[in-house]
Amino acid sequence: RLAASSNTDFILSKDGLLRWQGEPVAKIAAGDDTLKPRVILLADEQLTGASRDSVAHRLERWIANHISIVLKPLVEMTGDQTLEGMARGVGFRLVEALGNIDRREIATDIQGLSQDMRAGLRRHGVRFGAYTIFVPALLKPAPAELLSLLWGLKNDKMEATGLDEVPTILASGRTSTVFNPEFEPEAYRLCGYKVLGQKAVRIDILERLADLIRPAMYWKPTDDGTKPEGAIDGRNFFVTPAMMSILGATHE
């Protein structure tokens, strides 16, 4: 019955348990590859031989399919043979980092990318931000929750504080949140938040904030055209309502 069940009969819990029709039948454990966890059956000696193999294969197929759907950009980037040279290297680093990496860490590699190489990575949804190289499609609750689980398994930190909490913050739609020093620092990054002082800001929002600040910072009184909102003298800027709005922050 299990082997013949449809995909909707299975679910992966936050604790790494695989449930079939609501009942725990297996758990996932770290494999050699973070995106390819092992499946460990929760069954006694009554399940043997061909039946056991059939159950194991069905669950392995389900988890592989589940990961390929929820984390599609990373899985497809891993298998893309058309990525060559530096693009393959950047793709590997991005997959290894589970979807986002500080631009400064791979600045030299990014400078070495041709336009065709960048286009190859953009096909997988990669965005080349001023501060972070990331995949916006992964900044959603389902991918963030799965990435946190897989990272916890791989690093033997399933019980780390923050791996459950930060995905919940992301799911609430918060573009920024108060930094909690008791949380595992990687929990913020896995969910697409960058820690800045006492705040953790979503990396896509940080890029948008920079896009608002940049023209205000570089405007000169001698420039022709419309004065950007928040601009003063080319050295300073006013904090504008738009800046506060996207951050979900007060002026203070």
Side-chain angles (χ1 to χ4, degrees):
R1 279 177 58 209
L2 185 146
S5 290
S6 67
N7 284 339
T8 53
D9 286 344
F10 301 93
I11 192 168
L12 177 63
S13 305
K14 284 184 179 181
D15 55 6
L17 280 177
L18 263 172
R19 297 176 182 272
W20 170 55
Q21 297 181 352
E23 298 298 328
V25 291
K27 62 180 180 179
I28 58 171
D32 293 335
D33 185 331
T34 305
L35 298 181
K36 295 179 180 177
R38 295 180 296 117
V39 174
I40 300 173
L41 294 182
L42 302 177
D44 58 26
E45 62 278 1
Q46 286 183 297
L47 186 65
T48 60
S51 294
R52 187 181 182 92
D53 291 344
S54 180
V55 167
H57 291 157
R58 179 69 186 98
L59 293 173
E60 286 165 359
R61 283 204 316 278
W62 186 87
I63 194 69
N65 180 66
H66 179 66
I67 291 172
S68 71
I69 292 172
V70 180
L71 305 179
K72 182 179 178 182
L74 297 183
V75 173
E76 291 190 346
M77 212 181 316
T78 303
D80 188 351
Q81 300 301 315
T82 66
L83 293 177
E84 297 180 346
M86 203 71 81
R88 176 169 285 279
V90 170
F92 175 80
R93 290 290 302 276
L94 200 50
V95 171
E96 192 178 45
L98 300 179
N100 69 78
I101 190 166
D102 192 306
R103 185 171 182 134
R104 287 174 298 187
E105 289 186 31
I106 54 172
T108 304
D109 291 350
I110 296 299
Q111 288 172 358
L113 292 175
S114 67
Q115 288 304 312
D116 286 346
M117 289 175 178
R118 286 174 181 255
L121 289 166
R122 286 196 180 101
R123 281 201 307 273
H124 297 291
V126 176
R127 180 172 173 199
F128 297 89
Y131 302 101
T132 312
I133 311 301
F134 65 105
V135 181
L138 299 178
L139 304 181
K140 295 177 181 177
E145 190 176 294
L146 183 53
L147 288 169
S148 298
L149 170 59
L150 294 176
W151 182 89
L153 283 172
K154 185 67 175 174
N155 293 276
D156 197 21
K157 289 192 175 184
M158 283 290 287
E159 305 302 320
T161 307
L163 289 183
D164 276 348
E165 292 84 351
V166 182
T168 302
I169 293 170
L170 179 67
S172 72
R174 300 280 291 279
T175 57
S176 69
T177 183
V178 176
F179 169 64
N180 187 333
E182 294 182 5
F183 286 179
E184 162 61 49
E186 277 292 275
Y188 286 107
R189 191 189 66 78
L190 290 163
C191 294
Y193 287 99
K194 188 175 184 68
V195 176
L196 299 165
Q198 298 305 305
K199 298 280 270 186
V201 183
R202 228 172 57 199
I203 51 181
D204 57 332
I205 296 299
L206 185 63
E207 298 292 343
R208 285 174 56 191
L209 180 64
D211 289 342
L212 292 174
I213 292 173
R214 204 174 292 115
M217 279 290 287
Y218 292 109
W219 178 84
K220 297 287 193 295
T222 54
D223 290 348
D224 295 329
T226 307
K227 181 180 180 180
E229 188 182 8
I232 303 173
D233 54 11
R235 294 188 303 277
N236 307 286
F237 69 92
F238 284 117
V239 176
T240 67
M243 294 174 193
M244 290 187 287
S245 177
I246 63 169
L247 276 177
T250 63
H251 196 282
E252 182 186 4

